[in-house]
C-alpha cells in the first residue's frame, strides 16, 4: 500500500523515473515493459528530433549524446542494457540462481554485440532510416539467418532463454525482434525456425508486452527494401 | 485468502517404487493447491481395503481415491478436484477459449494418456502383469500420444495460452513417472519439444516442492516382479 501511495504521490509531484528517448523503438520499449513488470512509474520524455539529444543540456545527462537515458532518483543511466538490468533486478526477472543470472547477462550481451548490428541494418534500411547497398543488405540477411538458427536450436530444448521462466533476456531479444517478426519474417523464415516462433509468440503475448507493443501481428508479405 | 483444512486420501504402497498410479492423480491436486495457497491436510491410506469400508463409501460411493473434503462437501474424480483448485489459483486460462483448451487437455489426459501410462506403471509394480504383446501395443499407443503432444508443443510453449495452466501441471504429473523410469535418452530424442516443456513445468518452484527434482531416466526400467 505504501508503494502505491508513493506512486500516486509521484504522479502529482514528480515521477520517480524518467525515460528520455524517441517514441517508438525496441530499446525504449523493452525498458517500458520491464518497468511494468517492476511496477516502477516511468515518465516517458519523448524526443522527436535528432538535435534534441545533442543539446548541451542533454550532454549533462548523457555525455554520449545518445538515447535511451533513464533518470533515477539516484542519478542518470545510459546504455539500454544497463537500464534493462537495473529494472530486471527490481522486477525479479534476472534469473533464480547465480548461473541463470549469468545466462541472462550472456543473452543480453549477445543481443548487443551479435544480433543488433545486422538486424539494425535490415530494419533501419527497410524503414528508410539508413541506406545500404544490395551487397550489404544480403550480407546482413545471411548473418541474421544464422543468428536466428542459433536461437532456434537453443529454444528447441529450452522454453525460455534463461531458467524456466521469463527473464529480462527474453524481453530484450523479443523486443529487438518485434519489428522483424511483424514486417520482415515471412512464412518461410517462421517455418525454418519453429521454436523461435513459438517462443516469440509466447513472450510477445504477455500482457506487459502487448500493453507497450500492441498485439502480435504475423507478417504475411514482408516489406521490400526501399530502393 | 481463506485457508481450508482439507483431508485428502491416497494409497501409498511400500514397494521399491513407492509412488502408485493413484498418487499421480492425487499429487496433481496438491500441486495445484500449492499454487492456490490452500492448506491441504494429507491422509494416507495404507491398504486398498480401507476404501471398501462403510465409512469411506459414505464419502465416496465409488470406493476410490483421490477424494477431496471441502468445507462445502466431498469431491471425487481427480480432474474435478484439479479444476476446483485451478479456478482458485487462476490457472484455468485467461479467456473462455483458453479455458476450453485446458479442459480439452485435461480430458485428453484421462482418455489417451493415463490408460497406457497406468498400465505400464501397474505392470512395473507387479499389480497387473502384462505379456510382451500387450506391452508392445501399450508402448506404441503411448508413443502415439506423446507424438501428438510433441507436435502441439513445437508451436506452443504451454498447452493453453501463453502461461502455465492446470493442464500443464496435470499432464506433467501424469508423465512424471514416465520421464523418470521409461523415457530414456532415445525416446526423449524423438520428442524434443515435449522434453523441453516437461522440464520447464517440472522445475517450477511449486512443482519442485511436491515432486522434488526430476532425474531423467537413464535406462528404461523393465518388468520386475
Amino acid at each position: 500500500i505504501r508503494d502505491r501511495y508513493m506512486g500516486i504521490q509521484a504522479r502529482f509531484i514528480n515521477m520517480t523515473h524518467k525515460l528520455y528517448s524517441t517514441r517508438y523503438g525496441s530499446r525504449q520499449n523493452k525498458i517500458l515493459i520491464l518497468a511494468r513488470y517492476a511496477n516502477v512509474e516511468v515518465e516517458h520524455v519523448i524526443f522527436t528530433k535528432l538535435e534534441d539529444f545533442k543539446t548541451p543540456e542533454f550532454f549533462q545527462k548523457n555525455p554520449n549524446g545518445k538515447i535511451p537515458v533513464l533518470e533515477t532518483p539516484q542519478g542518470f543511466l545510459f546504455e539500454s542494457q544497463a537500464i534493462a538490468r537495473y529494472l530486471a533486478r527490481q522486477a525479479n526477472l534476472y534469473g533464480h540462481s547465480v548461473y541463470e543470472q549469468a545466462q541472462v547477462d550472456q543473452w543480453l550481451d549477445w543481443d548487443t554485440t551479435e544480433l543488433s548490428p545486422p538486424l539494425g541494418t535490415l530494419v533501419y534500411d527497410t524503414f528508410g532510416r539508413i541506406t545500404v547497398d544490395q551487397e550489404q543488405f544480403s550480407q546482413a540477411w545471411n548473418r541474421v539467418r544464422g543468428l536466428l538458427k542459433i536461437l532456434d536450436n537453443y529454444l528447441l530444448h529450452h522454453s525460455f532463454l534463461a531458467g524456466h521462466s521469463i527473464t529480462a533476456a527474453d524481453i530484450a531479444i523479443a523486443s529487438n525482434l518485434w519489428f522483424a517478426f511483424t514486417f520482415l519474417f515471412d512464412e518461410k523464415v517462421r517455418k525454418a525456425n519453429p521454436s523461435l516462433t513459438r517462443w516469440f509468440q509466447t513472450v510477445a503475448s504477455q500482457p506487459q508486452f502487448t500493453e507497450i507493443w500492441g498485439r502480435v501481428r504475423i507478417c504475411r508479405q514482408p516489406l521490400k527494401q526501399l530502393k | 485468502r481463506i485457508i481450508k483444512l482439507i483431508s485428502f486420501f491416497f494409497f501409498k504402497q511400500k514397494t521399491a517404487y513407492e509412488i502408485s498410479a493413484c498418487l499421480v492423480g492425487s499429487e496433481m491436486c496438491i500441486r495445484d493447491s500449492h499454487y492456490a495457497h490452500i492448506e491441504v491436510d494429507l491422509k494416507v491410506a495404507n491398504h486398498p481395503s480401507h476404501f471398501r469400508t462403510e465409512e469411506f463409501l459414505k464419502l465416496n460411493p465409488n470406493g476410490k481415491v483421490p477424494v477431496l473434503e471441502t468445507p462445502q462437501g466431498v469431491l471425487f474424480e481427480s480432474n474435478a478436484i484439479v479444476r476446483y483448485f485451478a479456478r482458485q489459483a487462476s490457472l484455468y486460462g485467461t479467456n473462455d477459449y483458453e479455458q476450453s483448451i485446458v479442459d480439452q487437455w485435461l480430458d485428453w489426459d484421462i482418455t489417451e494418456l493415463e490408460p497406457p501410462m497406468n498400465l505400464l506403471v501397474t505392470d512395473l509394480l507387479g499389480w497387473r502383469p502384462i505379456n510382451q504383446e500387450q506391452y508392445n501395443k501399450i508402448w506404441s499407443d503411448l508413443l502415439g500420444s506423446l507424438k501428438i503432444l510433441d507436435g502441439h508443443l513445437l508451436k506452443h510453449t504451454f498447452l493453453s495460452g501463453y502461461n502455465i495452466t492446470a493442464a500443464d501441471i496435470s499432464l506433467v504429473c501424469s508423465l512424471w513417472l514416465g520421464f523418470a523410469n521409461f523415457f530414456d535418452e532415445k525416446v526423449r530424442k524423438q520428442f524434443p519439444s515435449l522434453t523441453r516443456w516437461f522440464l520447464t513445468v517440472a522445475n517450477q518452484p511449486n512443482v519442485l516442492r511436491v515432486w522434488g527434482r526430476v532425474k531423467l531416466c537413464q535406462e528404461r526400467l523393465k518388468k520386475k516382479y
Side-chain angles (χ1 to χ4, degrees):
Chain A
I1 291 185
R2 181 177 171 272
D3 289 349
R4 272 181 67 194
Y5 176 72
M6 295 297 279
I8 294 170
Q9 229 185 15
R11 235 191 290 256
F12 289 121
I13 302 166
N14 260 313
M15 289 278 194
T16 51
H17 294 74
K18 281 198 179 89
L19 177 68
Y20 299 87
S21 71
T22 49
R23 177 182 297 279
Y24 209 55
S26 67
R27 290 190 187 87
Q28 41 273 49
N29 281 0
K30 80 182 168 209
I31 293 168
L32 291 171
I33 295 169
L34 285 169
R36 299 260 161 161
Y37 273 101
N39 281 318
V40 169
E41 296 275 350
V42 173
E43 183 192 333
H44 197 183
V45 178
I46 296 173
F47 290 154
T48 48
K49 300 188 298 269
L50 190 68
E51 300 82 57
D52 287 341
F53 42 96
K54 306 293 181 193
T55 61
E57 194 195 325
F58 190 79
F59 274 107
Q60 294 289 326
K61 305 193 207 299
N62 177 11
N64 300 282
K66 290 186 183 175
I67 49 102
V69 168
L70 189 74
E71 184 180 331
T72 77
Q74 288 86 28
F76 292 96
L77 281 177
F78 57 86
E79 285 301 320
S80 67
Q81 304 292 26
I83 301 172
R85 284 181 237 260
Y86 169 79
L87 290 169
R89 283 178 197 108
Q90 297 177 62
N92 199 21
L93 290 178
Y94 212 160
H96 299 294
S97 72
V98 182
Y99 180 65
E100 283 178 22
Q101 210 173 67
Q103 279 188 305
V104 174
D105 287 331
Q106 162 195 294
W107 287 111
L108 286 177
D109 290 341
W110 184 87
D111 180 38
T112 310
T113 61
E114 304 281 347
L115 185 62
S116 290
L119 196 66
T121 306
L122 290 183
V123 173
Y124 292 142
D125 181 78
T126 304
F127 282 93
R129 288 267 297 274
I130 61 173
T131 316
V132 297
D133 59 29
Q134 193 58 44
E135 173 76 38
Q136 287 172 292
F137 195 78
S138 26
Q139 258 179 20
W141 249 122
N142 286 334
R143 182 90 184 103
V144 166
R145 274 194 208 103
L147 295 171
L148 294 184
K149 208 62 198 127
I150 292 176
L151 273 176
D152 186 65
N153 287 337
Y154 181 84
L155 291 166
L156 175 64
H157 300 287
H158 301 87
S159 294
F160 301 103
L161 289 176
H164 300 283
S165 47
I166 273 200
T167 55
D170 301 290
I171 294 170
I173 296 188
S175 286
N176 211 358
L177 291 172
W178 201 93
F179 279 118
F181 263 102
T182 309
F183 296 109
L184 295 176
F185 294 165
D186 58 1
E187 182 75 40
K188 223 173 95 183
V189 175
R190 291 197 299 271
K191 263 205 160 71
N193 300 287
S195 299
L196 176 70
T197 309
R198 162 196 70 68
W199 163 86
F200 176 79
Q201 186 93 350
T202 300
V203 177
S205 300
Q206 299 300 314
Q208 290 88 345
F209 215 95
T210 56
E211 268 169 44
I212 303 294
W213 279 107
R215 62 179 173 82
V216 180
R217 294 166 174 86
I218 301 294
C219 170
R220 294 204 194 288
Q221 287 279 55
L223 289 184
K224 297 278 182 245
Q225 185 187 10
L226 285 178
K227 287 287 174 269
Chain B
R1 194 152 274 280
I2 307 165
I3 299 182
K4 301 176 196 173
L5 267 181
I6 311 170
S7 52
F8 193 105
F9 298 92
F10 65 78
F11 172 33
K12 185 172 167 135
Q13 182 175 39
K14 289 192 172 69
T15 66
Y17 311 98
E18 277 177 308
I19 304 170
S20 75
C22 294
L23 193 63
V24 173
S26 329
E27 301 236 17
M28 271 191 262
C29 312
I30 304 172
R31 218 147 340 308
D32 290 354
S33 75
H34 268 102
Y35 275 90
H37 305 296
I38 297 172
E39 299 262 329
V40 175
D41 185 20
L42 230 64
K43 277 216 178 79
V44 184
N46 267 319
H47 199 267
S49 65
H50 178 98
F51 308 137
R52 309 282 168 214
T53 60
E54 278 218 26
E55 195 191 326
F56 188 82
L57 287 174
K58 280 211 193 71
L59 274 183
N60 177 13
N62 299 283
K64 287 186 184 172
V65 284
V67 164
L68 192 77
E69 260 185 71
T70 79
Q72 288 89 24
V74 180
L75 283 176
F76 57 86
E77 284 302 319
S78 65
N79 266 5
I81 300 172
V82 167
R83 289 185 173 97
Y84 171 79
F85 281 127
R87 285 180 195 108
Q88 297 176 68
S90 300
L91 290 177
Y92 211 170
T94 59
N95 58 46
D96 285 338
Y97 180 67
E98 283 180 20
Q99 203 175 78
S100 303
I101 298 287
V102 173
D103 286 331
Q104 167 192 291
W105 287 110
L106 286 176
D107 292 340
W108 184 88
D109 180 36
I110 310 184
T111 59
E112 307 280 345
L113 196 58
E114 273 189 21
M117 275 300 307
N118 286 350
L119 285 173
L120 285 181
V121 171
T122 53
D123 171 56
L124 201 64
L125 290 170
W127 299 355
R128 269 180 285 202
I130 52 181
N131 60 37
Q132 188 64 43
E133 199 190 310
Q134 288 169 306
Y135 181 86
N136 292 337
K137 168 104 181 39
I138 291 168
W139 188 251
S140 78
D141 282 345
L142 183 58
L143 289 192
S145 303
L146 295 184
K147 196 159 174 58
I148 293 175
L149 259 184
D150 187 69
H152 179 88
L153 292 165
L154 175 65
K155 299 221 167 91
H156 302 87
T157 305
F158 301 108
L159 288 175
S160 169
Y162 301 107
N163 284 295
I164 279 197
T165 55
D168 301 291
I169 296 172
S170 186
L171 266 74
V172 160
C173 293
S174 295
L175 291 169
W176 209 96
L177 290 175
F179 271 96
N181 301 313
F182 301 117
F183 306 154
D184 56 11
E185 183 71 45
K186 222 175 91 180
V187 175
R188 293 198 297 272
K189 266 204 161 66
Q190 292 176 47
F191 309 115
S193 300
L194 179 71
T195 310
R196 164 196 69 69
W197 162 84
F198 175 81
L199 285 174
T200 299
V201 179
N203 279 294
Q204 296 302 311
N206 282 330
V207 180
L208 279 177
R209 218 173 291 154
V210 179
W211 283 101
R213 196 159 290 279
V214 61
K215 264 176 76 178
L216 289 176
C217 167
Q218 296 297 325
E219 225 187 276
R220 195 201 302 189
L221 287 181
K222 298 291 183 199
K223 306 205 280 187
K224 39 199 289 200
Y225 292 95

